[in-house]
Amino acid sequence: MNGTSSTDATGTPTPAAPASATSPPSPTAPSPWEDLVTTALLGTDRRPAAYGRSGREAPLALLDEAAMATVRRRAGLRPARAARRPEPAPEDPRPALPTAAARRLATLLTDRSGGGSGGRRGSSPDLMELLPQWLAAANAHGYAAPPQALPALLDAARGRTDLRPAALAFAGPRALWLARLNGDWRFALRAAPGGGATLPDPGDAEAVRRLWQEGLFAERAALLGALRAGTPAPARELLASTWATERAEDRLMFLDSLRTGLSAADEPFLEQALGDRSRNVRATAAELLSALPASALATRMAVRAAACVALDRTQSAPAIAVEPPLECDSGMERDGVVGTPPAGRGERSWWLGQLVESAPLGTWPGRLGGRTARDIVALPVTDGWQGELHAAWCRAAVRQRDARWSRALLGSPSAPEAGGPGAVSLADRAKLLAALEPAERADWVAGFIAAHGLSEAFQLLGVCAVPWAAPLGRSVVDALNIARDAGSYPWSFSGVMGLAERCLDPAQAVRLEGLLAIPDEREDAAPGAGGYWAEAFQRLMTTLRLRAQMTEELAPAVIERPSGGAPREGE
């Protein structure tokens, strides 16, 4: 036996405990498991095992010991502290989806084919492209998302940012609850106002003040936006209370929230912001003030712009003379005029454009002989300044949402190239159209398509209300038919065809039935064009009918009571 003997209190010898039991292990000594691993790596021939209790040969005895050590290691693990149970998911008080609509949602979320971005797509509808419309309709009815559909819905929104606003609105509070448990869905917390935090009641002044003083930026921005949408004045006063201590980037974001509910009451605060140390803040404040035609800044800009634009009375026919500013003084810079032009742009034309776009459009009839907007934009402009002047008027009409000037600058949709007196690009025309009422907008685009076809109409169609009005829908279908009969290269219209699938009124499906046959191909037509057009029209018609079914499935059914009482809603 290892160790030495000792005696107890009665003098009886007692054996000493083994050294391993009485001496603490050396800090540098290997653990028993490490010792086993080392022996196994070296081999029992080179390092004889000291384990023989099983009575078997050294290699087998080593394995026996390793098996027992493994059991000891596993059995010796202490259980970890149990994690805190998550709070139950919040209730969603909204009505449940009708059964048929719930099945349709599951189908839309299951289909991830997405369709092709170009080329031939076959005749089957692209279900994922129908999901945004389905969500918009479901939100309009105020339905709650089925709990079992939430994971697939969040996955779809994760992959497509355009889906997120409608998907999160439909998913409701349970989406935020799930997002806190799954890192893949954290985008839902970022997209939700205040990161998913509950905003205080606007009437609770103390809670509002505390969140504004102590909240995170996202929470404060959400609070400011919510207050601005309901009661603009308290929101502005809240922002003014901490304006001097905010960071420049935060001041810019907060200031942008004043676009909602912008009124003359905001002018004193915005005038103060014109002296901000941040150039971006000054520019945003100036832009907001220029959208208020009666503001002091708009008046100053009107005086400056009017000094640069006048009637030229030296010629036999009326014309507009332009003399751009000679310098950008400190007053102009304070009012938001950027002194340094972008590369390739002249200084004086750059300054002129900023003055004219910031001046109220009501300045010009009195300045230019009492003429209407349509008469003014029809006047020639001397010395090649027409493009610059009309482009600035376009920006002013968009900023001030002036329908009369937008209408005048657009001109007739059947004009050569439909350029209009002042629209210098399709993007400009699309912006001007946005200032018109939806019906007038659709009529103008329909006239444009009738005169010029679809090749230039894609951006214009994108600003029209959905579903397209009947005249616009007929114009699009007729133009597609004309393009097919003309032997046009079919894939160049795939974008318009995809837009029609989402925006065309389902009632137009009847008109498509006569376009499904494969026509005789012209000699100069693209190979296989006839088959492509037939497939595209078939897909369009099928998609429109599917959209009609979706609308019917989402409509609450009305069931008569057996007793003949008042009707009630049913699933």
Side-chain angles (χ1 to χ4, degrees):
M1 184 176 295
N2 295 329
T4 59
S5 299
S6 61
T7 58
D8 59 13
T10 61
T12 304
T14 58
S20 59
T22 58
S23 303
S26 170
T28 59
S31 68
W33 179 257
E34 291 174 344
D35 186 61
L36 286 170
V37 172
T38 302
T39 302
L41 291 173
L42 294 176
T44 55
D45 292 338
R46 299 179 56 188
R47 183 172 181 176
Y51 317 106
R53 285 177 292 183
S54 63
R56 300 205 290 175
E57 297 180 0
L60 297 177
L62 177 65
L63 294 176
D64 292 340
E65 188 66 27
M68 289 187 290
T70 300
V71 172
R72 286 195 300 268
R73 285 163 59 88
R74 292 177 177 175
L77 289 177
R78 293 184 178 180
R81 183 180 296 276
R84 181 181 178 183
R85 285 189 177 185
E87 295 293 330
E91 293 294 329
D92 194 332
R94 297 175 296 178
L97 271 176
T99 304
R103 287 197 298 264
R104 180 72 64 189
L105 174 61
T107 302
L108 296 177
L109 291 173
T110 300
D111 183 88
R112 297 295 182 88
S113 59
S117 58
R120 300 185 74 146
R121 294 166 44 201
S123 58
S124 299
D126 185 350
L127 298 185
M128 274 302 288
E129 288 305 313
L130 292 177
L131 183 57
Q133 289 195 16
W134 190 97
L135 289 170
N139 285 331
H141 284 291
Y143 289 125
Q148 67 272 17
L150 290 177
L153 186 62
L154 287 170
D155 282 340
R158 179 191 178 198
R160 286 182 53 178
T161 56
D162 62 308
L163 281 178
R164 291 181 182 179
L168 294 179
F170 178 60
R174 290 175 175 173
L176 303 179
W177 181 83
L178 284 172
R180 295 186 182 97
L181 303 176
N182 187 336
D184 290 343
W185 301 330
R186 300 289 293 181
F187 70 87
L189 300 178
R190 296 191 296 270
T198 301
L199 298 178
D201 188 300
D204 189 344
E206 177 59 26
V208 168
R209 184 199 63 79
R210 184 166 57 252
L211 181 59
W212 181 252
Q213 294 285 349
E214 303 173 3
L216 301 174
F217 171 77
E219 296 171 332
R220 301 175 73 215
L223 174 64
L224 192 64
L227 292 175
R228 189 69 184 176
T231 52
R236 183 186 62 250
E237 294 167 1
L238 194 67
L239 178 58
S241 67
T242 60
W243 179 258
T245 61
E246 304 288 354
R247 300 182 305 169
E249 56 267 32
D250 293 350
R251 292 198 304 276
L252 180 62
M253 296 295 292
F254 290 147
L255 191 64
D256 198 63
S257 69
L258 298 187
R259 296 181 190 277
T260 302
L262 182 65
S263 69
D266 299 316
E267 182 180 356
F269 178 77
L270 293 173
E271 274 285 341
Q272 177 188 354
L274 288 176
D276 196 89
R277 55 187 180 273
S278 167
R279 184 179 68 180
N280 291 333
V281 172
R282 294 196 303 271
T284 301
E287 180 186 348
L288 293 173
L289 284 168
S290 66
L292 298 172
S295 67
L297 178 136
T299 302
R300 295 193 295 269
M301 287 299 194
V303 171
R304 295 176 181 126
C308 300
V309 180
L311 281 176
D312 184 357
R313 304 183 185 277
T314 63
Q315 302 187 33
S316 56
I320 296 177
V322 174
E323 182 63 34
L326 296 174
E327 64 174 347
C328 181
D329 57 35
S330 59
M332 290 168 60
E333 289 185 341
R334 183 184 181 275
D335 285 344
V337 177
V338 179
T340 304
R345 186 77 180 274
E347 284 185 334
R348 298 182 69 191
S349 65
W350 172 245
W351 300 332
L352 172 71
Q354 293 179 81
L355 295 180
V356 173
E357 73 180 69
S358 299
L361 289 166
T363 302
W364 304 113
R367 177 64 174 166
L368 301 175
R371 292 173 170 83
T372 65
R374 193 179 298 276
D375 293 336
I376 290 172
V377 299
L379 290 174
V381 183
T382 62
D383 299 328
W385 285 103
Q386 178 166 325
E388 188 68 49
L389 181 61
H390 284 190
W393 277 337
C394 282
R395 295 192 294 272
V398 171
R399 180 181 298 183
Q400 299 171 35
R401 300 194 64 80
D402 192 302
R404 287 179 302 173
W405 275 85
S406 296
R407 198 176 294 118
L409 291 163
L410 278 167
S412 171
S414 60
E417 299 182 359
V424 295
S425 68
L426 283 172
D428 289 330
R429 291 196 284 276
K431 293 176 183 177
L432 289 169
L433 282 169
L436 304 182
E437 291 298 321
E440 184 180 4
R441 197 183 314 163
D443 286 341
W444 196 96
V445 177
F448 178 93
I449 294 172
H452 306 285
L454 287 170
S455 58
E456 299 292 326
F458 186 79
Q459 291 188 62
L460 305 180
L461 287 169
V463 299
C464 293
V466 177
W468 290 335
L472 178 58
R474 289 193 298 268
S475 182
V476 170
V477 173
D478 291 343
L480 287 170
N481 190 27
I482 292 171
R484 180 187 67 168
D485 293 343
S488 299
Y489 191 69
W491 293 277
S492 61
F493 293 94
S494 60
V496 174
M497 191 67 77
L499 200 59
E501 292 172 14
R502 299 189 294 273
C503 304
L504 199 61
D505 192 320
Q508 296 291 328
V510 177
R511 300 186 64 240
L512 295 171
E513 291 180 351
L515 305 178
L516 299 181
I518 300 178
D520 296 332
E521 293 189 0
R522 298 166 38 137
E523 293 183 359
D524 57 347
Y532 171 88
W533 283 109
E535 286 180 355
F537 283 125
Q538 177 65 58
R539 182 177 62 250
L540 177 56
M541 187 178 71
T542 306
T543 301
L544 293 181
R545 289 177 172 169
L546 183 57
R547 284 174 50 204
Q549 292 175 7
M550 287 165 38
T551 302
E552 293 175 0
E553 293 165 354
L554 284 165
V558 177
I559 303 175
E560 294 290 339
R561 292 180 183 272
S563 60
R568 61 181 176 85
E569 279 193 1
E571 292 187 355

